[in-house]
Amino acid sequence: MSVPPDSLQNGFDRAFAVLSRGRKTFTPQLTPQEVGTITGVATGIARVSGLPGVGFDELVMFPGDVFGIAFNVDPEEIGVVLLGEYWHLNTGDEVRRTGRVMDVAVGDGLPGRVIDPLGRPLDGNGPVAASRRLPIERPAAPIMDRAPVTVPLQTGIKVIDALIPIGRGQRELILGDRQTGKTAIAVDTILNQRGKDVLCVYCAIGQRGAAIAKAVATFRQKDAMAYTVVVVTEGNDPPGLAYIAPYAATSIAESFMEAGRDVLIVYDDLTHHARAYRELSLLLRRPPGREAFPGDIFYIHSRLLERATHLRKELGGGSLTALPIIETEAQNISAYIPTNLISITDGQIYLSPSLFELGVLPAVDVGKSVSRVGGKAQRAAYRAVAGDLKLAYSQFEELETFARFGARLDEDNRKVIEHGRRIRACLKQPEFAPVSMPAQISMLLALTADLFDDVPLDRMTDAEQAVRKAAAKIPAKVGERLDVADELSDVDRETIIKIARQALEAFSPEEGSKSEPEPEQETQKQPKPETKSQTKPDKPKGSPGEPS
């Protein structure tokens, strides 16, 4: 097939005309870029020169797609915290500015995923579906945007819900020595949020990989991953990732809170976060202070935890509840980091190694634990029994210590000790077994009504299980009032106590066969003081030495 020469010429003319017009309208533009060079690399940090316009906390890029945060901005050079593997970086490599701060991906595709602080997936389920990105460092909500904390956050742990209540929007510190069950309390709280329309964010900071895998496996086994986001930094990750992890997790949680959702975030634990920040600060030659921590160690935790709040209804009414975890050494809660966190938060739950060794689990020391929101974030049914229960438990702990020295106790004190032992037995709880609110209230009302006092201690576990099962017989209307009523009526109280009494009938000892007192409660039998007639024989009147 042949094409006429004229048509070919016309086609070429049109094409060259279009190219000529495009060339005339194109104006080349030069985009200046600041490029620096690495002057030194250390553990988790790099020193860079040649970036005069870089800002504090700005993100910079190294070769191999490694990011860093400008931490020290000095006239001659900047100190950069590295956020990835840095083994391939060398002195003289190029560094480029990005013009933005560190941010993290947020969106409805995050629940059910395991990610690192940079938003990269770690669960092998493909890329994370995110709708937008938020800076990891954001200002806390102003006071005028906040609402009072009035709605309880049920943990499913009897001793906490009854005696140390937590509200939605509260910051409650969990502290204790190593291996005392701090993470178990946080995991139980997350498991109990199933079906309660509460999203959870679990932030593991510098934890062992095996411990993180165990927690994630528990979430999946208990169907909790559907409403949980896990943000992970392992112990062998660069310290920069451990430093930004809680801020990235908080931005993820804030995105849901600003959408009107109730969110729970767990920081496990901020001791590793403080140590990572100390390591970075010392490497960057920042002046050390107490325990070699930098002077702003209080500020990095306060600006983090101030972001937890309850928003006003006009702003969606969402809430962010924070459960930071701190590790103490040798039960020293007056150390630097624990006292900082105690003063920042709205209360603390202290786990005692002594109780843990005695098998009292969870090992919550009620005397050293407190919730500064208290009954304002507690249902009326709990408030009706919590005061008497805490007083009786405190009296028992004091008398138990006193009785260990073999002191003689009267009948009233022996009853207090017996009642306290049953309170302690009822407050014990296995791991990963949260208790529902009606079952808790049934058990607590039975305790305050002294229904357990006749049950032998070796049968307390079975008796408590019977009361919990009997809670299913509570009428539906009574259960609704337990959830919403301003106070527990006498009729509802009697209804629940009657159900509990019927459940405990099988555990009461038969008449005339009262159980023997426990060895711990037996008082030492001391000889009766001798009377005067036994010590001195009567003398006849008028005997020598006797006045007449």
Side-chain angles (χ1 to χ4, degrees):
M1 178 180 180
S2 62
V3 179
D6 293 341
S7 61
L8 280 175
Q9 184 66 35
N10 293 336
F12 283 126
D13 290 342
R14 286 195 300 271
F16 282 117
V18 171
L19 291 174
S20 177
R21 288 195 300 270
R23 182 180 58 82
K24 291 178 181 179
T25 57
F26 173 73
T27 303
Q29 293 182 352
L30 298 178
T31 303
Q33 283 190 346
E34 291 186 22
V35 179
T37 56
I38 299 176
T39 59
V41 180
T43 305
I45 67 159
R47 298 187 181 277
V48 178
S49 64
L51 295 177
V54 72
F56 177 69
D57 267 356
E58 183 178 338
L59 208 62
V60 295
M61 179 177 287
F62 292 85
D65 292 335
V66 176
F67 289 98
I69 298 176
F71 221 53
N72 280 8
V73 183
D74 299 325
E76 300 298 328
E77 64 179 10
I78 63 172
V80 179
V81 173
L82 299 174
L83 303 178
E85 295 295 338
Y86 50 86
W87 57 269
H88 63 283
L89 299 181
N90 298 301
T91 301
D93 288 348
E94 283 191 356
V95 184
R96 297 179 179 272
R97 290 181 57 189
T98 62
R100 60 188 179 92
V101 297
M102 181 62 205
D103 53 20
V104 66
V106 299
D108 293 334
L110 283 174
R113 302 303 304 270
V114 181
I115 62 174
D116 69 358
L118 301 178
R120 297 176 298 199
L122 300 177
D123 51 8
N125 292 332
V128 177
S131 57
R132 58 193 178 113
R133 302 185 71 88
L134 287 178
I136 64 170
E137 293 270 12
R138 306 179 70 207
I143 293 177
M144 298 306 295
D145 291 347
R146 303 183 181 219
V149 176
T150 56
V151 180
L153 180 87
Q154 292 292 125
T155 66
I157 302 172
K158 295 173 285 187
V159 64
I160 295 177
D161 290 339
L163 305 180
I164 317 159
I166 300 174
R168 297 187 182 184
Q170 185 176 346
R171 302 160 298 175
E172 186 78 6
L173 177 65
I174 303 173
L175 75 164
D177 285 8
R178 292 183 70 250
Q179 302 296 323
T180 51
K182 302 183 296 296
T183 300
I185 286 182
V187 171
D188 277 349
T189 303
I190 292 176
L191 297 182
N192 195 56
Q193 305 314 310
R194 182 181 178 187
K196 294 180 172 59
D197 197 26
V198 176
L199 282 171
C200 302
V201 179
Y202 179 74
C203 180
I205 308 167
Q207 300 291 316
R208 293 180 296 110
I212 298 171
K214 179 182 177 183
V216 173
T218 301
F219 294 148
R220 286 178 174 152
Q221 181 183 359
K222 303 291 185 179
D223 296 331
M225 280 302 292
Y227 55 86
T228 303
V229 184
V230 181
V231 181
V232 171
T233 56
E234 297 184 27
N236 58 352
D237 285 337
L241 284 179
Y243 169 67
I244 69 169
Y247 301 103
T250 305
S251 290
I252 293 172
E254 279 182 328
S255 68
F256 294 112
M257 176 187 70
E258 292 167 357
R261 303 290 299 273
D262 292 314
V263 188
L264 167 67
I265 185 167
V266 174
Y267 304 106
D268 189 12
D269 64 33
L270 291 185
T271 305
H272 289 91
H273 180 249
R275 289 171 183 166
Y277 184 65
R278 176 174 62 183
E279 179 182 353
L280 295 172
S281 298
L282 293 176
L283 288 170
L284 291 170
R285 298 291 188 268
R286 291 190 175 185
R290 178 179 169 186
E291 298 182 18
F293 287 106
D296 60 344
I297 189 69
F298 182 94
Y299 176 60
I300 73 163
H301 287 153
S302 64
R303 76 171 187 253
L304 170 69
L305 293 171
E306 277 298 319
R307 295 162 70 176
T309 186
H310 180 205
L311 296 177
R312 294 186 295 119
K313 288 184 178 180
E314 293 81 0
L315 298 174
S319 68
L320 176 57
T321 309
L323 294 181
I325 297 175
I326 281 290
E327 180 184 304
T328 57
E329 296 179 354
Q331 307 181 47
N332 183 19
I333 63 174
S334 61
Y336 189 27
I337 301 302
T339 50
N340 280 356
L341 270 296
I342 287 172
S343 61
I344 292 169
T345 52
D346 306 314
Q348 72 271 356
I349 299 171
Y350 176 66
L351 302 180
S352 169
S354 303
L355 293 175
F356 188 87
E357 292 166 1
L358 292 174
V360 180
L361 301 176
V364 177
D365 189 330
V366 177
K368 294 182 181 178
S369 303
V370 66
S371 173
R372 298 190 182 97
V373 174
K376 293 181 180 178
Q378 198 174 31
R379 288 182 171 85
Y382 284 102
R383 289 198 301 268
V385 298
D388 295 338
L389 193 67
K390 195 166 189 176
L391 178 61
Y393 194 59
S394 300
Q395 289 176 340
F396 155 68
E397 289 182 324
E398 290 186 7
L399 281 174
E400 186 184 39
T401 304
F402 187 64
R404 286 199 183 107
F405 296 100
R408 297 182 63 185
L409 300 175
D410 58 20
E411 188 62 27
D412 291 339
N413 287 334
R414 291 179 64 181
K415 287 182 179 179
V416 170
I417 289 181
E418 283 300 303
H419 183 58
R421 284 180 180 151
R422 281 150 181 81
I423 294 176
R424 174 184 287 172
C426 282
L427 293 182
K428 289 182 181 180
Q429 190 170 337
E431 194 176 5
F432 308 145
V435 182
S436 65
M437 183 197 65
Q440 289 190 37
I441 292 174
S442 300
M443 188 205 65
L444 295 174
L445 284 176
L447 272 175
T448 55
D450 299 337
L451 300 184
F452 284 104
D453 288 2
D454 292 333
V455 179
L457 277 176
D458 58 354
R459 303 191 66 190
M460 278 297 299
T461 303
D462 296 334
E464 182 207 344
Q465 291 289 340
V467 173
R468 287 170 55 180
K469 291 180 180 178
K473 301 177 182 178
I474 296 177
K477 292 184 178 179
V478 176
E480 293 175 2
R481 288 196 291 269
L482 291 178
D483 199 17
V484 300
D486 294 333
E487 63 180 13
L488 181 65
S489 65
D490 293 338
V491 176
D492 290 346
R493 180 194 291 263
E494 289 301 323
T495 301
I496 297 173
I497 290 177
K498 182 179 179 181
I499 293 174
R501 183 179 286 111
Q502 292 174 353
L504 292 174
E505 285 178 353
F507 298 92
S508 299
E510 297 178 3
E511 292 296 330
S513 60
K514 294 291 183 182
S515 59
E516 293 295 327
E518 298 294 322
E520 294 179 8
Q521 80 181 40
E522 290 181 356
T523 58
Q524 292 184 354
K525 295 182 179 180
Q526 300 181 4
K528 296 181 180 179
E530 295 178 343
T531 60
K532 186 175 182 181
S533 61
Q534 294 173 327
T535 56
K536 290 184 181 181
D538 294 333
K539 294 182 180 180
K541 290 183 180 180
S543 60
E546 186 78 7
S548 57

